Amino acid sequence: MATQSIERAVNTEVQLMMTCLCDAFYAGVAEATVRVLEAAGCRVHVPEDQTCCGQPAFNGGDFESSRKIAQHTAKVFSGDLPIIVPSGSCAAMHLHGNGLQFENAPDEGQMGVRSLAKRTWEVCDFLVHGLGKTTWPGRLDRRVAIHDSCHTRGSGTGAAMRTLLGSIAGVELLEIGQAEQCCGFGGTFSVTFPHISTGMGTLKLDEVHAKRPDMLVSGDMSCLMHLNGLAENQERALPHCHAVEVLAEALG
Amino acid sequence: MPDRDAIFKRVRTSLLQSSGGAPLPDYDPSALVAKPRLTGAGLWENFAQNFGAVSGRPMTELGEVVSFLKSEGVSYGYCDLALCERFETVLDEIGIEIVSTYDRERYDDYQFGITRAAGAIAETGTVILTDSSTSDRLGALTPWIHIAVLPEACLIETVGEALASFDPDETTIIWATGPSKTADIEGILIEGVHGPGEQVCLLML
Amino acid sequence: MPNPIEQYARDLSEETREAVRKSGALTTGQRVEILQKDYEDPDALRRLAGEIKQHTIDHLDSYLEQAEASLTKAGAKVHFASDADSARQCVLGILQQSDVQRVVKSKSMATEEIHLNPFLEKQGIETVETDLGEFIIQIDEDTPSHIVRPIIHKKREEVAESFEKHGLGDYNTDPETITRRARVHLREKYMQSGAGITGGNFVSAESGRIVLVTNEGNARFSMAPNKVHIAVIGIEKIVPRDRDLAVFLNLLARSATAQQLTVYTQFIKGPRMPSQPSGPEEMHVVFLDNGRSQILGESCREILRCIRCGACQNVCPVYRHASGHAYRAVYGGPIGAVLSPLLGGKASFPEYADLPKASSLCGACREVCPVDIPIPDMLLKLRHKGKKQGVSTPGSFPMAPFATLATSPTAWRTAMTAARAMNYLPMKLAPIKPLRDWLGDRTLPKWRGGDFRRWLKTRKGNNADA
């Protein structure tokens, strides 16, 4: 989704949108995001009433449901502070998906949803293209394979992730083959199309393992959850984590 | 014509639903040029390079054509009447016969065809054939070998310039970029499907 | 009931899957290579092409009128066909008027769409496909599974068997031998027929020139020996001016087959010139609507920019796993998932409403589209259309309960914590079949619902509020 050229709010006081996936499974990623943002000089607010960006319903074509969730999110994240998300996918929902589901809708019906697109950043994108960080301290001797999640296509996330991770002393970045191919998750897609989804994920794992990395890193836990779930089943699991967890680890 | 009116009516009704329409963008034609394909010393050199890259055979000497035909073991071909004088004697010497009338009954007998090119595009290695320059469409199409004779002045640098120089009177303009080919079976490239399997371009100074 | 595309993918042989996947991956890679080699900013070209096409379809009435006038002036006869039946009758009428008994055809998706071949055959007119792939499809009574590579799903052994069966030589699997045999067989057909039928890749409104591209030279050969040329072309194929063709030709060949230009690029605006001994005396253009004018008024109108390059099919992971036939219609892959539910109008929408679901919405198709069609957005809009119309598609999930939960923060927090119970459930015995299938191939991470929220609250000296 073409998000690169969007002008968005920048501030060292930010709101964290933890994502439902981190709320349910990946508390460590949300914690790392707070630590990393604080290390970058930010004061982080975490609105308690946050739930989900609405993407599961949106992707299912149930815009009536997903619009309600978006309106709830807009209410919870009101104000003008940047909204930082440790997920390219949830960020894309704010930057692109909401525009689509509220296409032709009058401003008043959106109840602040439009403001989300002007303030939302994927966390790595924010650190580099918002705050201007180009290096990260610490040392980690590790070969890191990067999986670009589909919803960061055309955004600043891929470059930002490489800038930050690549600047950590000792980190060797590995580009995996056929990087444009999806891991096969796609939310409910993987449930409706399990055979195709598994096939896609298996191919992705083949490409990842071909590079013999020490770990697999991405900006979206959904892809990693799916890939690791498959890898464990195929008895070829490898360490995997969100890019901010690597940054947090480098902080020591 | 009820269908015509119905289609226009539906199109117009549908266009009322759209927001008035996007404008035709203004653009710089030079942005469409594949500049790395034009780094040679001149038009012919660039053409020859790009034509060679699509399995075409660029030639500058009549002798090259003669030896090529000899090496291909041909004995009978079609030649544009306007070019016969140039080819007749040299080919006759090595036992190759040419005729200037294309006989449809004998379509399979012509091993080569020599016709005039109306132009060529350096950027893409393309030979331009038109109805008025081609003495017989079939003579340039059915033989395994096609030799296009190109006057040097007709070389054009880019695709954009070639489009801009279309003669409005020509009802049929053909760009041939190398021999005919297919990759339909398992993606394996085979040259020479329905049209020529060898495409020669002879520069005429 | 499993989704039909999922079912088709399950049943597909690994051999076919591998063939489709390999071809897709190879062409995708070559496409990127040639675009990056030749242009500093290929994406700017894609956007430009999209803008020109969008402008054209936004003003389709005037451009169509202009194209009609230009063609008529150049000596071509222009016909209009509202639907498939009308187009078939129109072609038949032209053939009957010239007493044509045999026609040769050059590959055309528009004629696939209107199922012209079986119709003409039924009328006693021998109709021979001349593109090698389409010829093989025809003798096999198969259907094309890719826009550009119709027999992407076939192995050479199958082709060898078909050739043997149809008296085209002994069993031989060598692609070159097969090609030569087709060459010999088909040139007899070209020379003996009375008309050549083609599609059209573009029509310049300014000059009326129809642009036809083929690598094999079969469109050229379908015309050169024949009295009559009929081009069946969708009304959306128009571009404003000749010079705009530079944008599209450069992108089409690179996107479709990673070539700079297709071997034969033909610009035709009428019958042969009087001085030319070979070539049609009549040129007919049949402009086909068949649902396009309806699509123009809907929210997915950008799909009419499509120039049929097949790049979205090549890159699509779902297409690569399921193959084109899984989409049950003339157009497979991402473009088919949008076009098929729309082309037939209201009547065919429910029949194809499941196709837009066959995507992880990964967006790879949009990235490669030479006319920058936002295909994933359209898949979403069509899913929404299906939901609104109450069309049930296999594998749909009700989302209303989730929306209720996600808009009730207290209930949400409770659920997050309560669902920790999941960690103690035997997930492989999950009660819902799709979920069980899903878990058959995957493990789930440990549920840690609410942990982050607790961490925030207990964290000493933090400046994060909760």
Side-chain angles (χ1 to χ4, degrees):
Chain A
M1 322 266 147
T3 57
Q4 204 157 24
S5 56
I6 298 176
E7 282 289 319
R8 282 167 293 173
V10 177
N11 197 317
T12 49
E13 193 165 346
V14 301
Q15 293 181 311
L16 171 69
M17 184 164 115
M18 67 179 97
T19 80
C20 60
L21 212 57
C22 290
D23 205 355
F25 293 108
Y26 297 107
V29 175
E31 289 169 23
T33 309
V34 173
R35 287 187 57 210
V36 163
L37 285 168
E38 285 175 354
C42 293
R43 183 181 154 81
V44 184
H45 301 272
V46 187
E48 195 181 7
D49 285 351
Q50 61 179 289
T51 55
C52 168
C53 67
Q55 198 174 164
F58 174 68
N59 286 354
D62 186 352
F63 292 4
E64 283 68 31
S65 291
S66 56
R67 282 186 203 127
K68 279 183 205 153
I69 304 175
Q71 283 160 342
H72 170 78
T73 302
K75 197 172 73 189
V76 173
F77 288 90
S78 60
D80 49 17
L81 293 180
I83 302 160
I84 312 303
V85 198
S87 159
S89 186
C90 306
M93 185 64 204
H94 283 190
L95 298 171
H96 184 82
N98 281 341
L100 194 66
Q101 65 173 338
F102 283 99
E103 203 176 48
N104 307 325
D107 278 3
E108 58 272 24
Q110 302 197 22
M111 304 202 281
V113 171
R114 214 169 268 183
S115 147
L116 298 175
K118 296 175 186 138
R119 298 187 283 133
T120 300
W121 294 84
E122 183 280 326
V123 56
C124 293
D125 192 14
F126 178 69
L127 289 168
V128 174
H129 302 115
L131 297 180
K133 287 249 161 239
T134 52
T135 56
W136 199 255
R139 178 174 189 95
L140 292 170
D141 290 300
R142 218 167 281 170
R143 288 160 53 81
V144 175
I146 293 187
H147 165 66
D148 291 302
S149 70
C150 290
H151 288 172
T152 61
R153 285 177 206 273
S155 79
T157 294
M161 226 159 59
R162 284 165 178 78
T163 300
L164 292 175
L165 296 175
S167 75
I168 299 171
V171 166
E172 184 191 347
L173 295 181
L174 306 169
E175 298 295 339
I176 62 175
Q178 298 200 55
E180 88 289 346
Q181 289 292 299
C182 172
C183 71
F185 179 59
T188 54
F189 168 81
S190 68
V191 186
T192 312
F193 299 86
H195 185 273
I196 298 174
S197 165
T198 300
M200 287 161 68
T202 303
L203 285 175
K204 182 61 74 181
L205 286 171
D206 291 347
E207 295 285 2
V208 171
H209 278 284
K211 294 289 171 175
R212 308 206 165 280
D214 297 323
M215 67 186 319
L216 176 62
V217 167
S218 177
D220 266 292
M221 288 319 290
S222 51
C223 307
L224 291 178
M225 176 177 86
H226 163 76
L227 284 173
N228 184 63
L230 284 176
E232 278 190 352
N233 224 44
Q234 297 173 5
E235 293 177 355
R236 52 170 174 167
L238 79 166
H240 62 285
C241 69
H242 193 285
V244 289
E245 292 180 286
V246 181
L247 299 180
E249 192 186 345
L251 290 172
Chain B
M1 35 179 127
D3 276 24
R4 183 192 183 280
D5 296 344
I7 289 173
F8 274 98
K9 195 177 166 196
R10 280 197 300 270
V11 166
R12 290 190 174 117
T13 308
S14 284
L15 287 178
L16 292 175
Q17 307 297 312
S18 73
S19 51
L24 180 60
D26 194 23
Y27 58 93
D28 174 8
S30 74
L32 306 170
V33 179
K35 295 178 187 82
R37 311 259 184 179
L38 293 167
T39 52
L43 282 177
W44 174 257
E45 194 181 309
N46 284 325
F47 170 80
Q49 170 77 33
N50 293 319
F51 188 53
V54 290
S55 305
R57 295 176 187 271
M59 297 181 187
T60 51
E61 304 286 336
L62 189 60
E64 278 180 87
V65 178
V66 174
S67 359
F68 173 66
L69 288 176
K70 202 173 164 185
S71 71
E72 290 284 303
V74 300
S75 59
Y76 184 70
Y78 166 81
C79 183
D80 179 345
L81 183 63
L83 296 168
C84 274
E85 204 182 329
R86 186 178 286 258
F87 285 92
E88 208 159 22
T89 321
V90 282
L91 291 179
D92 191 50
E93 275 170 18
I94 54 166
I96 299 175
E97 185 193 348
I98 50 173
V99 290
S100 60
T101 307
Y102 188 95
D103 179 359
R104 290 178 58 141
E105 300 300 312
R106 298 194 63 186
Y107 68 88
D108 240 1
D109 297 340
Y110 304 106
Q111 294 160 313
F112 63 94
I114 306 174
T115 67
R116 281 170 290 152
I121 309 171
E123 182 190 358
T124 47
T126 300
V127 173
I128 304 174
L129 310 172
T130 60
D131 259 13
S132 62
S133 67
T134 306
S135 49
D136 194 311
R137 289 188 193 185
L138 289 166
L141 183 65
T142 61
W144 180 254
I145 302 166
H146 177 231
I147 296 157
V149 180
L150 173 74
E152 194 181 22
C154 297
L155 263 166
I156 298 169
E157 187 165 35
T158 67
V159 168
E161 287 163 38
L163 287 166
S165 64
F166 274 175
D167 178 350
D169 292 333
E170 289 287 355
T171 57
T172 297
I173 298 167
I174 308 291
W175 290 0
T177 308
S180 91
K181 63 183 186 186
T182 186
D184 272 350
I185 302 170
E186 294 186 13
I188 295 158
L189 179 71
I190 308 290
E191 287 174 349
V193 191
H194 305 284
E198 290 284 359
Q199 180 70 57
V200 176
C201 183
L202 172 66
L203 182 69
M204 197 166 67
L205 296 168
Chain C
M1 184 173 67
N3 185 289
I5 291 188
E6 166 76 1
Q7 191 58 52
Y8 196 93
R10 265 175 205 275
D11 297 341
L12 192 68
S13 77
E14 276 310 315
E15 218 180 25
T16 306
R17 195 190 328 278
E18 193 56 25
V20 174
R21 181 192 297 155
K22 262 193 177 158
S23 168
L26 183 70
T27 317
T28 298
Q30 290 171 337
R31 174 200 158 274
V32 172
E33 205 176 302
I34 191 171
L35 279 168
Q36 287 182 348
K37 182 182 155 203
D38 286 345
Y39 297 111
E40 271 170 36
D41 188 359
D43 285 337
L45 281 191
R46 297 192 305 114
R47 286 192 295 272
L48 173 63
E51 285 167 20
I52 297 173
K53 260 298 204 179
Q54 190 60 43
H55 162 81
T56 318
I57 58 171
D58 282 347
H59 300 86
L60 190 58
D61 52 344
S62 49
Y63 281 123
L64 193 57
E65 229 164 20
Q66 195 190 352
E68 179 193 20
S70 306
L71 276 161
T72 308
K73 193 173 153 223
K77 291 200 178 80
V78 181
H79 312 257
F80 288 88
S82 271
D83 53 27
D85 184 52
S86 169
R88 290 188 295 254
Q89 293 298 339
C90 180
V91 171
L92 179 66
I94 299 164
L95 294 175
Q96 284 173 339
Q97 203 161 33
S98 300
D99 203 21
V100 173
Q101 304 298 319
R102 291 167 158 177
V103 300
V104 275
K105 270 194 70 222
S106 172
K107 181 171 159 39
S108 139
M109 292 310 289
T111 58
E112 288 288 341
E113 198 182 305
I114 62 169
H115 305 290
L116 184 63
N117 296 6
F119 170 78
L120 291 181
E121 291 279 352
K122 227 174 168 179
Q123 303 295 323
I125 295 173
E126 187 196 43
T127 309
V128 179
E129 286 288 351
T130 57
D131 172 84
L132 178 60
E134 292 285 347
F135 173 68
I136 293 163
I137 291 285
Q138 190 179 31
I139 60 174
D140 282 356
E141 295 178 35
D142 197 353
T143 54
S145 70
H146 187 280
I147 293 178
V148 176
R149 301 241 155 95
I151 55 165
I152 192 174
H153 60 286
K154 279 189 201 292
K155 303 290 288 179
R156 65 179 86 179
E157 289 79 11
E158 298 170 61
V159 181
E161 272 172 37
S162 299
F163 268 52
E164 188 183 25
K165 195 174 126 196
H166 289 90
L168 295 160
D170 302 335
Y171 182 85
N172 190 316
T173 59
D174 173 35
E176 185 162 0
T177 306
I178 295 170
T179 307
R180 296 287 170 266
R181 286 173 177 175
R183 176 182 171 97
V184 172
H185 175 78
L186 288 169
R187 43 183 50 206
E188 214 177 297
K189 299 287 179 190
Y190 291 120
M191 299 305 286
Q192 291 169 355
S193 61
I197 300 179
T198 69
N201 296 83
F202 305 99
V203 181
S204 160
E206 173 187 57
S207 63
R209 283 190 200 280
I210 283 167
V211 187
L212 268 168
V213 304
T214 76
N215 271 320
E216 298 182 3
N218 52 317
R220 171 77 157 154
F221 215 152
S222 295
M223 279 175 255
N226 283 317
K227 278 190 309 188
V228 179
H229 170 212
I230 305 170
V232 182
I233 307 176
I235 54 171
E236 84 285 16
K237 292 283 170 183
I238 297 179
V239 299
R241 305 162 301 195
D242 286 5
R243 55 174 285 214
D244 299 319
L245 291 167
V247 181
F248 296 102
L249 290 173
N250 275 314
L251 280 169
L252 175 60
R254 286 179 175 87
S255 302
T257 47
Q259 290 169 278
Q260 240 188 310
L261 280 179
T262 315
V263 175
Y264 282 88
T265 305
Q266 306 172 225
F267 306 86
I268 302 149
K269 62 167 183 176
R272 67 175 163 81
M273 290 174 83
S275 62
Q276 174 56 243
S278 299
E281 290 155 21
E282 288 173 36
M283 179 191 186
H284 297 267
V285 176
V286 181
F287 279 120
L288 174 70
D289 182 346
N290 204 31
R292 289 162 173 77
S293 60
Q294 295 290 337
I295 297 176
L296 193 60
E298 291 175 20
S299 65
C300 293
R301 64 175 68 88
E302 293 94 335
I303 204 69
L304 295 175
R305 295 180 197 164
C306 175
I307 59 172
R308 310 283 191 269
C309 72
C312 64
Q313 300 182 321
N314 293 331
V315 80
C316 176
V318 176
Y319 176 90
R320 286 187 192 177
H321 276 271
S323 96
H325 286 154
Y327 295 78
R328 315 192 298 281
V330 175
Y331 304 99
I335 178 69
V338 178
L339 261 185
S340 304
L342 292 171
L343 266 182
K346 280 194 184 80
S348 72
F349 179 75
E351 188 185 346
Y352 295 114
D354 64 299
L355 302 186
K357 302 246 173 180
S359 164
S360 63
L361 299 171
C362 77
C365 48
R366 179 176 195 169
E367 246 178 13
V368 300
C369 178
V371 283
D372 199 29
I373 301 174
I375 296 177
D377 290 0
M378 296 182 175
L379 297 172
L380 282 159
K381 286 178 184 178
L382 291 170
R383 291 178 187 188
H384 181 221
K385 185 175 169 180
K387 177 77 177 61
K388 266 195 311 188
Q389 296 187 359
V391 181
S392 140
T393 54
S396 294
F397 297 91
M399 282 293 167
F402 177 72
T404 305
L405 187 65
T407 48
S408 322
T410 312
W412 176 272
R413 284 192 292 271
T414 310
M416 278 293 149
T417 320
R420 294 175 84 86
M422 265 178 67
N423 289 337
Y424 307 101
L425 287 175
M427 293 303 287
K428 302 256 160 175
L429 302 176
I432 315 157
K433 171 86 168 65
L435 193 61
R436 208 159 59 226
D437 287 350
W438 195 86
L439 286 163
D441 283 338
R442 290 165 192 78
T443 57
L444 264 181
K446 196 166 175 281
W447 190 276
R448 293 190 56 191
D451 279 7
F452 173 64
R453 293 170 189 266
R454 266 190 299 281
W455 174 82
L456 269 182
K457 281 185 177 143
T458 56
R459 198 171 165 227
K460 287 212 169 81
N462 87 68
N463 59 8
D465 54 336

